[in-house]
Amino acid sequence: MTSLHTTSVRRRRLGVVTAAAGLIATLFTAGPAAATPDPGDAATTRSGVSVSEQAEARAAIESGEIPGVDEIVHSSNIKHLANVPKDALKGLNTDLAFQGKYAYAGNYDGFRIFDISNPKKPRTVSQVLCPGSQNDISVSGNLLFLSTDSSRSDNSCASTTQPATEKSSWEGMKVFDISDKRHPKYVAAVETACGSHTHTIIPERKNVYVYVSSYSPNETFPDCQPPHDGISVIKVPRSAPEKSRIVNFPVLFPDGGNPGAPTNPGVSKTTGCHDITVLPSKDLAAGACMGDGLLFSIKDPENPKIIDRVQDNVNFAFWHSATFNQKADKVVFTDELGGGGAATCNDEIGPDRGADGIYDITGKGDHRKLVFRSYFKIDRPQADTEVCVAHNGSIIPVKGRDLMVQAWYQGGVSVWDFTNSSKPKEIAYFERGPVTLDEVTTAGPWSAYYYNGYIYSNDIEKGFDVLKLDDRRTDPAKKVRLKELNVQTQPDYFDR
């Protein structure tokens, strides 16, 4: 483990933007196989940066408007405690989950387990080679869940890429036994229609329900046929995970969902969901589903019931993820404009696209409605070579306030306050400068989450970061302690 040097904090000019069962996991012993990215959250390096754009970026660096290549800058209320670079797993770093003194980090080539008992010196406990795009990750008790959203030759961790047009190809959910953190065991696999881009768990005493989000069906894909207007619900018995099975495929869009272009130009056609966040204490879920945002009841987890549905056909291109506030009277939806492969934090795009949308929840019971209040987007200037867009984050548990930490790819980590739904504001940040000035490159934090007093971030290329936030507005959260955190399964922080 090495720590990157943190540069002195600059006075930066803000406001520039006008805007199958029983298998043993294959542990790393040799070079990892390459995983093939799928649409949405796909990592891409794109050429075509003009000479003038490169010159503008260099001028912005020289003037101090943006940090230099790979330079670290941050607000005065954030400290960079540690960075752990990639090691055995060379793929893209993705999502995070937490349990006790452990952090679990997804990677396109598998997953890594960190001991974070000393946040200043995270230590690698194990690395599991199990290639498959996304490798979205969750944990519950002795079980770890891993999403595979790239077509593979089989369901093993030794699989290779294979066209989705072949019937024998496999995508879906994998389940590991992590009772021995040093030697996780692969114990179950469940194939799901169109794979598993992300997943969300609903833990119960005897079972764990898994909501599988996937999308982009195609008539040439035998296991991913249109219409694909719902989610897969998997039931996993804790005592016998090898008996995991799909128990339902509820249709969430009986009318087919948002038609996208040409009816709604610039908006994704809804062919499934990208991500779902559940709030079990309130029997609620919020779905970010490509062209639609959903609020639904999970009182019966096998049969979710839609309460309300909203669209934003002016500024939202791709509904990517959702976060409830603690009182469950607000939802923050993110727009992944450009699919995680475009520079969107600039004057050309403006402040309302590629942003967060803040919605109040009004009414009661089945009559609740999602009511739009405002957009939030970081106003720290980014170079046109930097992929920057709203991505994964979590609330920071402070009574009486709505605070959130969020990843913005090369826009870095942002801490912001949406207590006033109509006037959100950033209160802290951490970011690195451009990876390069020669190409538009996907990099930066994929996820940034608050857990037991610290912010943990999984940077797509630079590795696992630990940040400490010291601010009177967020300090009360340091007293809140959790035994387990899967951000898409939001806890009730103050009623446990």
Side-chain angles (χ1 to χ4, degrees), residues 430-449:
F430 168 90
E431 71 166 285
R432 291 179 171 91
V435 172
T436 177
L437 300 182
D438 300 326
E439 298 172 314
V440 179
T441 305
T442 296
W446 178 292
S447 301
Y449 299 144

Side-chain angles (χ1 to χ4, degrees), residues 266-289:
V267 178
S268 297
K269 178 181 178 180
T270 298
T271 59
C273 288
H274 180 278
D275 212 340
I276 291 170
T277 293
V278 297
L279 190 57
S281 64
K282 301 291 193 299
D283 291 327
L284 277 180
C289 302

Side-chain angles (χ1 to χ4, degrees), residues 68-79:
V69 173
D70 282 340
E71 180 185 7
I72 291 177
V73 295
H74 54 84
S75 55
S76 60
N77 52 357
I78 275 186
K79 293 180 181 179

Side-chain angles (χ1 to χ4, degrees), residues 51-287:
V51 174
S52 63
E53 287 174 324
Q54 292 181 41
E56 288 176 4
R58 290 190 177 95
I61 290 173
E62 291 175 3
S63 69
E65 185 177 315
I66 66 173
V69 173
D70 282 340
E71 180 185 7
I72 291 177
V73 295
H74 54 84
S75 55
S76 60
N77 52 357
I78 275 186
K79 293 180 181 179
H80 187 207
L81 298 184
N83 170 266
V84 186
K86 291 181 183 179
D87 186 15
L89 306 177
K90 303 301 184 183
L92 312 176
N93 284 329
T94 59
D95 213 1
L96 294 168
F98 305 90
Q99 191 179 63
K101 67 177 184 178
Y102 298 102
Y104 303 82
N107 179 286
Y108 269 48
D109 285 339
F111 65 92
R112 189 174 183 178
I113 302 178
F114 293 100
D115 181 334
I116 55 172
S117 53
N118 181 355
K120 294 181 180 180
K121 295 182 178 181
R123 182 175 56 85
T124 299
V125 177
S126 59
Q127 299 184 71
V128 176
L129 176 64
C130 199
S133 290
Q134 291 287 120
N135 277 337
D136 192 43
I137 195 167
S138 296
V139 291
S140 182
N142 288 328
L143 299 179
L144 181 146
F145 303 87
L146 205 64
S147 287
T148 298
D149 193 34
S150 58
S151 188
R152 312 297 298 178
S153 57
D154 55 49
N155 64 6
S156 76
C157 285
S159 68
T160 57
T161 58
Q162 182 168 291
T165 52
E166 296 187 22
K167 177 61 179 174
S168 63
S169 295
W170 185 90
E171 298 180 66
M173 287 300 306
K174 294 168 181 169
V175 184
F176 290 77
D177 183 326
I178 52 170
S179 52
D180 181 350
K181 304 294 186 294
R182 293 184 177 277
H183 301 95
K185 294 182 179 180
Y186 180 14
V187 295
V190 179
E191 187 171 15
T192 55
C194 302
S196 175
H197 194 71
T198 67
H199 69 270
T200 305
I201 65 171
I202 305 176
E204 295 186 337
R205 187 170 63 87
K206 292 184 178 181
N207 304 296
V208 179
Y209 285 98
V210 183
Y211 285 175
V212 176
S213 296
S214 55
Y215 54 93
S216 294
N218 190 301
E219 291 181 355
T220 66
F221 298 166
D223 298 321
C224 183
Q225 291 283 300
H228 184 70
D229 48 14
I231 57 175
S232 298
V233 180
I234 299 174
K235 186 177 183 179
V236 182
R238 290 187 185 276
S239 60
E242 68 277 5
K243 295 182 180 179
S244 300
R245 62 188 179 91
I246 296 174
V247 293
N248 197 10
F249 187 87
V251 173
L252 303 180
F253 305 98
D255 65 351
N258 197 318
T263 303
N264 297 315
V267 178
S268 297
K269 178 181 178 180
T270 298
T271 59
C273 288
H274 180 278
D275 212 340
I276 291 170
T277 293
V278 297
L279 190 57
S281 64
K282 301 291 193 299
D283 291 327
L284 277 180

Side-chain angles (χ1 to χ4, degrees), residues 241-452:
E242 68 277 5
K243 295 182 180 179
S244 300
R245 62 188 179 91
I246 296 174
V247 293
N248 197 10
F249 187 87
V251 173
L252 303 180
F253 305 98
D255 65 351
N258 197 318
T263 303
N264 297 315
V267 178
S268 297
K269 178 181 178 180
T270 298
T271 59
C273 288
H274 180 278
D275 212 340
I276 291 170
T277 293
V278 297
L279 190 57
S281 64
K282 301 291 193 299
D283 291 327
L284 277 180
C289 302
M290 304 183 73
D292 294 88
L294 300 179
L295 181 70
F296 53 101
S297 168
I298 56 168
K299 186 172 291 186
D300 178 356
E302 291 189 20
N303 298 282
K305 179 182 178 182
I306 301 299
I307 296 173
D308 194 26
R309 169 181 158 196
V310 290
Q311 297 178 352
D312 179 346
N313 294 320
V314 176
N315 288 315
F316 255 53
F318 189 94
W319 297 67
H320 175 274
S321 53
T323 303
F324 287 101
N325 69 336
Q326 179 59 35
K327 290 183 178 180
D329 58 7
K330 298 176 188 176
V331 181
V332 174
F333 289 102
T334 67
D335 175 20
E336 192 187 43
L337 176 66
T344 70
C345 299
N346 52 34
D347 291 339
E348 179 183 358
I349 300 300
D352 296 339
R353 298 173 59 211
D356 296 319
I358 304 167
Y359 286 74
D360 285 351
I361 301 174
T362 63
K364 296 181 179 181
D366 292 345
H367 299 289
R368 283 173 284 192
K369 296 292 183 183
L370 292 166
V371 180
F372 174 76
R373 293 302 184 202
S374 67
Y375 298 108
F376 170 77
K377 188 174 182 178
I378 59 172
D379 62 359
R380 288 172 284 108
Q382 306 295 314
D384 286 337
T385 61
E386 293 182 279
V387 170
C388 173
V389 73
H391 220 245
N392 294 356
S394 72
I395 63 169
I396 299 175
V398 175
K399 285 186 177 180
R401 283 186 178 270
D402 295 324
L403 303 167
M404 186 171 176
V405 58
Q406 185 176 2
W408 285 81
Y409 275 24
Q410 289 194 69
V413 174
S414 175
V415 179
W416 58 290
D417 187 329
F418 62 104
T419 305
N420 183 337
S421 303
S422 299
K423 294 183 178 180
K425 59 182 179 181
E426 183 174 77
I427 62 174
Y429 70 88
F430 168 90
E431 71 166 285
R432 291 179 171 91
V435 172
T436 177
L437 300 182
D438 300 326
E439 298 172 314
V440 179
T441 305
T442 296
W446 178 292
S447 301
Y449 299 144
Y450 188 92
Y451 176 69
N452 289 357

